Amino acid sequence: MRIATYNVNGVNGRLPVLLRWLAESAPDVVCLQELKAPDEKFPGKAIRDAGYGAIWHGQKSWNGVAILAKGCDPVETRRGLPGDPDDSHSRYIEAAVNGVLVGGLYLPNGNPRPGPKFDYKLRWFDRLIAHAATLIGMDVPVVIAGDYNVMPTDRDVYKPERWRDDALFAPEVKAAYFRMLDQGWTDALRTMHPDETIYTFWDYFRNAYGRNAGLRIDHLLLNAPAAKKLEAAEVDAHVRGWEKTSDHAPVWVELG
């Protein structure tokens, strides 16, 4: 079972790229982020025509998350994180697909730091950690995948000295990521590539992709039953080189 995460950076504007990648990679489950579309503008028909059922939690102009499942409809189990009934951002969705519970997230960017956006990022991360604590002990495979907007270590960022003041590399944010891992989650990509320089995002500017000046900010975290089935974890980095593509590349795990 191949489970992927992909920040599409606008699902309608990048639809040809998304459909091309779905046809090429044929993942079983996909978590999408940054739809930049309200619910009624989500391209559900085009995605169904490509062979995927979908649920989505859209938002006009920014945010938005979705889960796609090949050949079936995801069974939605949650929309939005608990802990803040006034939170209007569309950043979390969760579904059961063929015996696996999949959470898809788009964690806030948090810049500029310090400031209210950074404070919101930390609060949102705390809510994610609290919810993850309720999932980690499940006896079925659980995968929490998405754009976490955090580079956990110096190995996960090109020239880390340039990022010390950025919200994606802040000590508080990295500490929150490791608090989540300490619950028992497995960072699939780093587990399969412990010593490699491996990125999931390259900026549009300064030929970042061509220079491989990237960041690893898209993660798939697995509970113990999922981690026991982990066979592969990769980045489809070549997709970042396609025309009119997202600044992120798809990332996926293979569960046996």
Side-chain angles (χ1 to χ4, degrees):
M1 186 177 192
R2 180 171 293 192
I3 301 173
T5 180
Y6 189 17
N7 180 322
V8 289
N9 191 14
V11 69
N12 287 300
R14 316 285 182 194
L15 186 58
V17 171
L18 173 61
L19 296 177
R20 177 183 172 186
W21 170 71
L22 289 175
E24 174 188 277
S25 183
D28 298 288
V29 183
V30 185
C31 297
L32 298 179
Q33 304 90 45
E34 210 170 338
L35 303 179
K36 295 182 177 178
D39 282 342
E40 65 274 15
K41 296 294 187 181
F42 184 82
K45 182 180 185 304
I47 287 172
R48 283 195 303 274
D49 290 346
Y52 286 81
I55 58 172
W56 58 91
H57 184 22
Q59 192 160 9
K60 184 179 180 180
S61 301
W62 66 89
N63 301 333
V65 286
I67 296 176
L68 317 184
K70 186 168 64 174
C72 65
D73 292 321
V75 179
E76 184 174 319
T77 56
R78 170 165 289 280
R79 175 173 296 234
L81 281 178
D84 184 358
D86 296 324
D87 187 3
S88 61
H89 290 205
S90 299
R91 293 186 177 274
Y92 187 84
I93 195 166
E94 188 180 285
V97 183
N98 294 329
V100 179
L101 186 67
V102 179
L105 66 89
Y106 179 37
L107 206 139
N109 177 285
N111 281 304
R113 164 183 176 257
K117 291 184 177 180
F118 186 68
D119 295 340
Y120 172 67
K121 177 174 189 162
L122 295 180
R123 292 195 306 271
W124 202 96
F125 218 147
D126 285 342
R127 289 164 56 207
L128 173 65
I129 292 168
H131 181 56
T134 71
L135 304 179
I136 186 64
M138 296 183 71
D139 58 4
V140 299
V142 181
V143 178
I144 302 181
D147 179 356
Y148 282 70
N149 268 319
V150 54
M151 297 90 77
T153 71
D154 282 7
R155 192 188 306 130
D156 300 311
V157 51
Y158 175 77
K159 294 198 173 179
E161 66 275 7
R162 296 184 178 179
W163 290 83
R164 298 298 180 195
D165 297 327
D166 194 277
L168 279 68
F169 206 47
E172 306 96 313
V173 175
K174 291 188 283 187
Y177 185 80
F178 284 103
R179 284 206 317 274
M180 188 165 169
L181 290 189
D182 286 345
Q183 293 177 344
W185 298 96
T186 293
D187 180 335
L189 195 61
R190 186 51 73 199
T191 296
M192 299 304 291
H193 302 274
D195 301 314
E196 291 183 39
T197 297
I198 190 165
Y199 300 135
T200 67
F201 168 95
W202 298 261
D203 207 319
Y204 288 125
F205 305 108
R206 298 177 296 279
N207 190 33
Y209 177 68
R211 296 185 296 117
N212 198 31
L215 313 173
R216 188 176 78 96
I217 58 177
D218 303 272
H219 310 297
L220 296 103
L221 303 189
L222 282 55
N223 75 341
K228 288 177 183 176
K229 296 176 179 288
L230 179 62
E231 296 183 347
E234 300 292 343
V235 181
D236 285 344
H238 67 283
V239 177
R240 176 60 181 84
W242 290 354
E243 188 176 352
K244 298 182 179 178
T245 194
S246 172
D247 42 9
H248 294 250
V251 188
W252 52 266
V253 297
E254 196 85 42
L255 303 183

